[in-house]
Structure formats: structure tokens, C-alpha cells
């Protein structure tokens, strides 16, 4: 399995995990458009009045997964999330989470950044 396929599988695994915790998956791989300098948001999920923007990382350790998220990437993710919230006119709560998949284990870091 190449890295692209591992990423797709990891996102699918994370979506299933979120659904088991009562979230409804709204979007996967949300991008605001080419050449905008904005990032792709792996998963956008909703539960009640809360939207969660989720970055999924597959790494050997939890710390390697969290370290893989750089400051410039966080800035791009925030900009993409703001665009989504404006386009949908969302008035509820929102947060950023990180799901790190290491082996067959999942670590869910809520309000990561």
C-alpha cells in the first residue's frame, strides 16, 4: 500500500471512529480551491451544535503524528475552516481535532489547535 492509499484508509478509519462517537460526517477532503494557499481539511464532522475540523495523521507514534502538523499547515487549516464556516453560514460551535492512527490504535486529541 502506498502513502496515498494509507492516507485514504486512515481517513476512512477515523470517520468510522467519529461515527461511533455520535458524529455525522459532513465532508471529507474539503479544499477551498486550487492555488489559494489554503489547506485540505481531512474530515468535517458534526454532532448537534458542534462542527469539528479533523486532521488525520498516520504515524508510528503519537508524538510523531502531532509533530507532523506544522505552524504553516495550522495557519492554512484555519483559513480553510474559516472559509467553510462563512460559506455555510455556520452559527454554532467549532473546533480543531487531530486523530493520530498508530498501528491499529487511535488517539483523538480534541481542541488540538
Amino acid at each position: 500500500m502506498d502513502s496515498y492509499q494509507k492516507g485514504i484508509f486512515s481517513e476512512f478509519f477515523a470517520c468510522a471512529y467519529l461515527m461511533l462517537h455520535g458524529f455525522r460526517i459532513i465532508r471529507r477532503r474539503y479544499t477551498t480551491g486550487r492555488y489559494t494557499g489554503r489547506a485540505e481539511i481531512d474530515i468535517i464532522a458534526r454532532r448537534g451544535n458542534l462542527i469539528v475540523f479533523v486532521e488525520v495523521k498516520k504515524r508510528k507514534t503519537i508524538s510523531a503524528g502531532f509533530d507532523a502538523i506544522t505552524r504553516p499547515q495550522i495557519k492554512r487549516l484555519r483559513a480553510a475552516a474559516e472559509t467553510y464556516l462563512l460559506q455555510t453560514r455556520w452559527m454554532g460551535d467549532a473546533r480543531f481535532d487531530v486523530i493520530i492512527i498508530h498501528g491499529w490504535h487511535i488517539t483523538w486529541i480534541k481542541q488540538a489547535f
Side-chain angles (χ1 to χ4, degrees), residues 10-73:
S10 297
E11 289 175 19
F12 174 79
F13 196 37
C15 283
Y17 188 78
L18 287 167
M19 289 189 296
L20 285 172
H21 285 86
F23 283 88
R24 184 171 54 93
I25 306 305
I26 297 173
R27 297 283 301 266
R28 289 184 60 192
R29 302 187 145 225
Y30 171 78
T31 308
T32 57
R34 279 191 155 172
Y35 312 113
T36 62
R38 302 220 169 146
E40 174 185 273
I41 298 172
D42 294 331
I43 301 170
I44 301 173
R46 178 179 178 187
R47 182 172 65 192
N49 196 36
L50 173 67
I51 280 192
V52 178
F53 299 98
V54 182
E55 179 67 14
V56 179
K57 293 292 184 190
K58 175 154 180 47
R59 297 291 189 275
K60 291 187 183 219
T61 65
I62 297 167
S63 61
F66 203 68
D67 291 344
I69 303 169
T70 64
R71 292 271 179 221
Q73 183 182 15

